[in-house]
Amino acid sequence: MSRIEPLSADMFDADCGHRMPFRVGDKWSAMLLRCLEAGPRRFTELKVPLHRVSPKVLTETLRAMERDGWVSRTAYDENPPRVEYALTALGRALLDPMDHLCAWTRAHRAEILGVREENVQREYAQGE
């Protein structure tokens, strides 16, 4: 049996700095990317498909995506005020990798759900 090298404490420091810049894996960012794919949207438009997310969390997610350069926020000086969110070029660059991840998920959906169900049943049986 071959031995693998132990993980280094600074393994992410060399290429990624002290924090991983990825936010697609959080609960709402990937969905927001999809919502903004066709063009700019207002906050109230985004709340329709994302009705399960609270306005506070939606705002925090949009701010984080803006901070990371994936989304732009444009405020219009109108009465009532209007704000639109749109994908930047950097945000659009995430759509192709997301398409591949979605295709992988569709291809392995049954397997994933089967394993998940087995694990849930095993955990339930151990808890009795």
Side-chain angles (χ1 to χ4, degrees), residues 6-92:
L7 297 174
S8 167
D10 63 352
M11 66 186 282
F12 295 114
D13 292 344
D15 295 324
C16 299
H18 71 286
R19 287 190 170 179
M20 296 295 287
F22 308 116
R23 200 172 303 287
V24 176
D26 76 9
K27 192 166 186 175
W28 305 110
S29 293
M31 291 182 212
L32 276 166
L33 288 169
R34 283 290 180 222
C35 290
L36 296 170
E37 183 175 15
R41 302 283 181 180
R42 295 179 72 172
F43 188 86
T44 54
E45 291 179 279
L46 295 171
K47 286 185 356 183
V48 173
L50 299 171
H51 55 88
R52 294 180 314 217
V53 62
S54 72
K56 177 182 184 249
V57 171
L58 183 56
T59 298
E60 289 171 352
T61 304
L62 285 164
R63 285 181 182 161
M65 293 173 72
E66 183 182 9
R67 189 172 45 251
D68 288 344
W70 299 0
V71 169
S72 65
R73 178 184 184 274
T74 305
Y76 296 92
D77 188 20
E78 298 175 353
N79 193 9
R82 178 170 59 106
V83 175
E84 288 183 340
Y85 297 91
L87 291 180
T88 63
L90 189 58
R92 288 206 165 280

Side-chain angles (χ1 to χ4, degrees), residues 24 34 90-104:
V24 176
R34 283 290 180 222
L90 189 58
R92 288 206 165 280
L94 286 168
L95 295 174
D96 188 48
M98 269 186 28
D99 289 340
H100 290 287
L101 289 171
C102 289
W104 180 89

